[in-house]
Structure formats: structure tokens, C-alpha cells
Amino acid sequence: MHLLFATSIVPDGALASGYEIANAAIIAALRRAGARVTVIGFTWPGRPASDQQNTIVLGAVDVRTETASSLQKLAWVARAMLSGLTFASVKLRVANDSEVRAAVERTGPFDGYVLNSVQFAGAFERLFSDRASIFVAHNVEHRSAQENAVAADGLFQRLLFRREARLLKLVEERLCRRARFAFTLAEEDRSALGVASDDRSAVLPLVTCAEPPVQKTPRRIDCDAALIGTWTWQPNRIGLDWFLEKVVPHLRPDFRVRIAGGMPSGVKSAHPGVEFVGRVPDAQAFVRSAAVIPLISTSGSGVQLKTIETFELGLPSVATSHSLRGIDHRPVNCVVTDDPIAFAGALETAAADVRDVDGSAFHRRQLKALDAAIRLGLHKLGPVGQEVFA
């Protein structure tokens, strides 16, 4: 079976974000199930596809709003309004329908689509109705847009997010309705997308790497707590604001917190132990240098890849309940609380008595469940999918 994996940004091997880590895990699982997978989409400027033999590149595009010029942002807004597309999808319209269709035809015979998230599928929706499809919903995007609207500072931004939410809901409904099967990354997302039936969808438990991370002991601990993420992404920013405003004031003055990753303007903390370190060369080494990992998600849908990575590494953690969405099992060294004062207290307790665990069992459980879900989805594609398991 030959599948065309249609995605906004094709894998380049960097695995710099949760989205890219999830894509790598899903593509690998499809191939383990026996499918031939060709990926089609765009690259980041200056970052070629890692698997060029099995990738169709439509061009290079930078879709980051936070680094775009004011003129570029206005152009995206204007094009979204004129086209009726979402702000996220219009950024990908650097190629037109005929160019994308020609690229699809160059892949040769194939049996179906895997429509990876709503951005690319929404930008070229009319092109993907000629074959059976599986829809992969990394998040319930319209819910995230609604939450972003509530958290927005200005009226214009609030109205833009409300428009985004309204259009995303319609696109997600159409993609789910047309798909033979849908994958979500969290159980609650199935009902939110209207595909809660086991005949219509399944949850994909994810891993961050093909093999369990090597447990290197003893660890060299350089700080009490470490966080890393794409903080310019609004759901992540909401969680970071909660942590800095609600939790950090209850930490001892000598409690050391290092925060890595791209940081939007205006983020700061008066706590003397908080340090913003920007981008780091080795994300795994960075988190392993901390006594405890705060898992601070408070909004959004889908799954938190940082939660999965922390559990795979066996590191102590303190998590909000929202950080555990999509996770069926948590290790004994993870404390769960949504109370900011209790969260701060749990961080201090964990940092004072560091207790790592073996994360390989968690990784094996996730990988086994991921492969089972992928096989189910391929079977739902119909006769072509069922031939894979014959």
C-alpha cells in the first residue's frame, strides 16, 4: 500500500518541535505496519528534507508569525479575508492548486492520503477528495483558537482568533466526515471532533524516539527545574504565564529555574532564580541537567510531547492534569496538581530528593499501543489497507 502523507512542513531530521517529533513517530509507525509512505509538503527555508527519496517538496516557506514582518502579517490577514481560508492555511498558499496537483501526480500510483493536521489539508482541501483518506488531528484546532481568543490582549487579535475558530471548526468537521478514519493524540479530542466511535477514530500514543532513551546515571544536576518549549505558540505561552505568575512566586528565592526556547517579547520574572537561556544545542541534555521537570500545560488539545519525553527519560516531574492528556499511565515519580501553591511545594520536595525511574517500560507500552492503533486505521481504509495484513 502506497500512502501520500500530506503535511505543512516535511521532516528535516531536526525534530525541533513537538509537531515534528509527532510526525516522525507517525510516519515510522506507518512504515512498520508495511505501508510505503511518500511525504508531500513544504520545507523550512535552508532546511532540506531528511528523506529526499521519499519526499515531494513544494517549496520553502516560513510560517512563523512571531518572526514575520508587520507587512507580511498584514498580507496574510488580507489574503485570509479575501480567500475565506484560515490564517494558518493561507500562509501555505505560496503554491497554487495546479502546482500541488502536478506534484501529487508525479508521485506515481498511490492508494490514499494521510492528511496530517488541518493547516495543509485546509489550504488545498479540494485536491484531497479523489481517494480514501485518514485524518490525523494533532489538536482540536478550533478549541485552541477559542482559548487563544480568550487570552488575547487586543480586540483585533481577539477577533482574528474568533474568526480562526469558526473556520477551523468547519474544516475539521469536513475532514473528519470525509475521512475513512481519524487519529487523535488524546482521548478527549475524539468526542470534541465528533468521531468518538471506535469505528471512526483511535488515539495514537506517541513516542519521541524509536528506541528507549539510554538511562545515563548518575546525572549531573545544574539547576532545580528546567523547562523547554516553543513559547511563541499561544497554548504554550498560556501555560508559561500561569507558571511564572502563579507558581514561581511561591518558590524559595534560591530555587533555580532555567527556561529554554524561543521566547516572545514581554516575558519576564522577578524571581531571582529564574533564568531565560534561549535556544540550547541539546534539548535532552538540558532537561537531564535539572532535578525536576515542571509540566505546565493549562490549555490546548492534543498531547504534550514534553510529558512523553520526560516519562521516557524517567525524570522526576510535577504536572498539571492538563499536561497528562493523552497519557494512560504516569510513573511513580510524577506528582499531579493544579494548585499553584501545591505545585511549587511539590517542585521543592522533588528537587530536594531526586528520584529517577526506568522509563523504558513506558516507552515500550507507548510504542506497542501506537503500532496497534496504526494497524487499525490502515485496516479501515478498505480492501487496500486490509491487504497489508493479509
Side-chain angles (χ1 to χ4, degrees):
M1 176 172 49
H2 184 192
L3 297 176
L4 195 62
F5 189 89
T7 187
S8 53
I9 303 296
V10 304
D12 59 17
L15 302 183
S17 69
Y19 180 72
E20 291 162 331
I21 292 169
N23 290 345
I26 295 167
I27 291 170
L30 288 167
R31 288 172 173 160
R32 283 196 302 272
R36 176 189 168 197
V37 181
T38 298
V39 181
I40 184 170
F42 297 89
T43 62
W44 291 106
R47 286 162 55 176
S50 56
D51 183 11
Q52 297 186 24
Q53 185 176 355
N54 296 299
T55 304
I56 304 297
V57 176
L58 298 170
V61 62
D62 189 337
V63 296
R64 294 172 297 181
T65 303
E66 66 274 8
T67 58
S69 67
S70 297
L71 186 60
Q72 177 64 80
K73 293 175 186 176
L74 287 172
W76 281 335
V77 170
R79 290 177 61 193
M81 296 298 179
L82 290 172
S83 66
L85 294 174
T86 67
F87 185 71
S89 287
V90 82
K91 297 176 183 180
L92 301 173
R93 293 292 302 186
V94 295
N96 59 38
D97 283 2
S98 60
E99 291 169 333
V100 176
R101 172 53 63 193
V104 168
E105 291 173 352
R106 287 198 300 272
T107 64
F110 65 97
D111 302 297
Y113 300 105
V114 178
L115 302 180
N116 185 51
S117 199
V118 72
Q119 290 83 4
F120 186 83
F124 302 99
E125 194 174 348
R126 290 182 297 176
L127 302 183
F128 300 119
S129 59
D130 60 331
R131 287 174 174 83
S133 67
I134 291 174
F135 176 51
V136 181
H138 287 244
N139 302 281
V140 183
E141 298 288 356
H142 77 268
R143 287 272 182 89
S144 296
Q146 289 168 350
E147 292 173 347
N148 293 345
V150 173
D153 293 329
L155 177 61
F156 178 75
Q157 192 176 36
R158 190 175 302 116
L159 292 174
L160 190 61
F161 278 126
R162 286 176 180 172
R163 175 187 182 273
E164 200 82 347
R166 176 175 54 81
L167 294 179
L168 282 167
K169 190 173 190 300
L170 295 174
V171 176
E172 286 173 325
E173 287 175 350
R174 290 196 298 268
L175 291 174
C176 287
R177 184 170 62 250
R178 293 171 185 164
R180 295 279 180 89
F181 202 71
F183 287 128
T184 67
L185 305 187
E187 179 63 39
E188 53 266 39
D189 292 356
R190 298 172 67 205
S191 58
L193 290 169
V195 290
S197 166
D198 291 343
D199 289 331
R200 297 283 294 115
S201 69
V203 176
L204 292 181
L206 295 180
V207 293
T208 66
C209 48
E211 299 294 331
V214 177
Q215 307 290 323
K216 302 174 184 176
T217 55
R219 293 192 290 127
R220 177 182 172 180
I221 295 176
D222 297 325
C223 63
D224 293 303
L227 300 88
I228 185 170
T230 306
W231 306 114
T232 49
W233 189 49
Q234 190 67 12
N236 286 355
R237 170 67 186 272
I238 292 170
L240 181 62
D241 287 343
W242 174 82
F243 179 72
L244 293 175
E245 295 170 8
K246 304 295 185 181
V247 176
V248 166
H250 299 290
L251 294 170
R252 297 189 316 267
D254 63 344
F255 193 89
R256 300 161 300 161
V257 180
R258 290 181 180 170
I259 304 175
M263 195 66 60
S265 60
V267 177
K268 58 185 179 180
S269 174
H271 190 284
V274 173
E275 180 183 5
F276 299 97
V277 299
R279 300 189 183 278
V280 293
D282 188 329
Q284 190 175 113
F286 174 75
V287 296
R288 283 181 53 82
S289 71
V292 59
I293 306 301
L295 301 171
I296 59 172
S297 177
T298 61
S299 69
S301 52
V303 70
Q304 282 285 296
L305 267 297
K306 285 304 169 189
T307 300
I308 291 174
E309 182 181 38
T310 299
F311 291 177
E312 288 176 334
L313 292 170
L315 302 178
S317 61
V318 180
T320 61
S321 57
H322 202 74
S323 296
L324 299 181
R325 62 188 187 273
I327 308 293
D328 289 334
H329 174 79
R330 65 179 174 91
V332 295
N333 62 346
C334 174
V335 176
V336 183
T337 178
D338 293 315
D339 178 75
I341 297 175
F343 199 103
L347 286 175
E348 292 180 347
T349 299
D353 184 18
V354 178
R355 296 177 181 271
D356 291 1
V357 299
D358 182 1
S360 61
F362 174 83
H363 182 277
R364 287 193 299 271
R365 184 184 295 108
Q366 291 286 108
L367 194 66
K368 182 179 180 181
L370 168 61
D371 286 347
I374 287 289
R375 288 195 299 270
L376 173 62
L378 292 181
H379 191 271
K380 294 293 184 179
L381 274 178
V384 164
Q386 292 163 16
E387 287 174 6
V388 175
F389 311 110

